[in-house]
Amino acid sequence: VLSACGRQVNVFGIAVCVSPKAWRMCQRDQVGQSKCDYVANVLAQFLDNDMDGFPDDSAVAARLHGYGSVMLVSLTEAFHDEFDIDFRKLVRFVQIISLRETIIGSCQVPSNRGATAGNRWDWSKYTSVPDSCNPRRDAAVEEIFHLITEAASDEFPHLWGRTFASRAGAAVRAANGNCGWGFSKNWSNPGLSQPACRGYFAYKDASCGIDCLVIEGIYWASLSYVGGFYTMELADFAADEWLMTAPDGNMTVLPPDSPNARTLQAGSPGLYELVKETTAHGHAWLPAVMPNGQYTVQPFKKPYIFRPASRDVQRTAPGFNSCPR
């Protein structure tokens, strides 16, 4: 199956498959090359957020590995044109990333905008993005997080199951208030200056059913908790869908002109309590720090891969140059 890749690398048992077209760009363009490595490093940081060389949640990592999960990296969103097989018919968990939507140096990372990951109390000082970071949302982060969330949902269904009966699902439904959903054809924009509904999360995509909504809600909540949307630009970008970009109750609410905007702690205590715990059983797969694409685990001095004979979860230092096709 992976023979369809232009280049592939293994990250804790998960294959990252770069299309031939994307790999040619990576070889030709220095920015493209760094984007290929960036994707693998963000995946490693999500799985090993404390960067001790091992997955933070071995059960979730083992499930991803057992499912034969694949992260497809294409040059553009037209991924069908870049791979000669349909991975989705062969592998249970497949996630697709476009290099053109992959943003290195995004202002989503608190440290990129001048804040410090551990000093949450001063994040409100850094909601205006500096010129040193890219104000755009990094779509690669979202797609990677979705892949891991689906495995966590299967591993811990009472917590993260893709229904409104799970703890996360119940909190997602409560956060919607009366703003409705696209799939039920009653969506109302919660981010208007004079909204017709009261709620903090309302997804308008008609193709996104309950299972999709729960995955999306977990993504918004977890990345909001680690500061991933706490800028003026990102809060405005998210306003027609998500209005809890400020994580903690003592932080300045964004966008300031939206009556429905709340902190995550105030607007959805259920989601807040679920995603703030990142070490307990069933929660260890969640990030405590927003990934920045710099996975620097010692004693790895250069990109290479340990390849044990068993199917156990592997320690992996991501990097494509050492992993020829």
Side-chain angles (χ1 to χ4, degrees), residues 34-52:
S34 64
K35 281 189 176 183
C36 287
D37 288 328
Y38 173 82
V39 168
N41 277 271
V42 169
L43 175 58
Q45 282 185 290
F46 268 127
L47 291 168
D48 177 23
N49 201 239
D50 62 6
M51 293 203 289
D52 66 353

Side-chain angles (χ1 to χ4, degrees), residues 7 16 28 41 49 92 98 112 151 198 206 213 217 226 238 245 250 258 266 284 290 294 296 301 305:
R7 189 63 61 98
V16 180
R28 182 174 63 248
N41 277 271
N49 201 239
R92 179 165 182 175
S98 162
N112 286 350
R198 181 165 184 175
L213 291 171
V226 295
T245 58
N250 61 348
S258 176
M290 182 75 182
Q294 299 175 28
T296 54
K301 303 297 184 183
I305 298 174

Side-chain angles (χ1 to χ4, degrees), residues 248-301:
D248 300 343
N250 61 348
M251 293 181 177
T252 303
V253 172
L254 299 177
D257 58 350
S258 176
N260 274 334
R262 300 287 188 278
T263 66
L264 179 61
Q265 187 173 19
S268 180
L271 283 172
Y272 182 84
E273 292 302 322
L274 279 168
V275 300
K276 74 174 289 191
E277 175 55 70
T278 60
T279 58
H281 180 70
H283 298 257
W285 64 277
L286 292 161
V289 178
M290 182 75 182
N292 62 2
Q294 299 175 28
Y295 184 70
T296 54
V297 172
Q298 297 298 324
F300 300 126
K301 303 297 184 183

Side-chain angles (χ1 to χ4, degrees), residues 77-108:
E77 289 185 297
F79 68 94
H80 289 294
D81 299 332
E82 299 187 33
F83 294 97
D84 56 13
I85 61 174
D86 190 346
F87 282 86
R88 293 176 299 179
K89 294 181 179 179
L90 302 172
V91 181
R92 179 165 182 175
F93 283 170
V94 176
Q95 207 69 36
I96 302 159
I97 293 173
S98 162
L99 288 184
R100 290 189 177 166
E101 292 190 329
T102 298
I103 306 299
I104 298 175
S106 169
C107 298
Q108 285 190 271

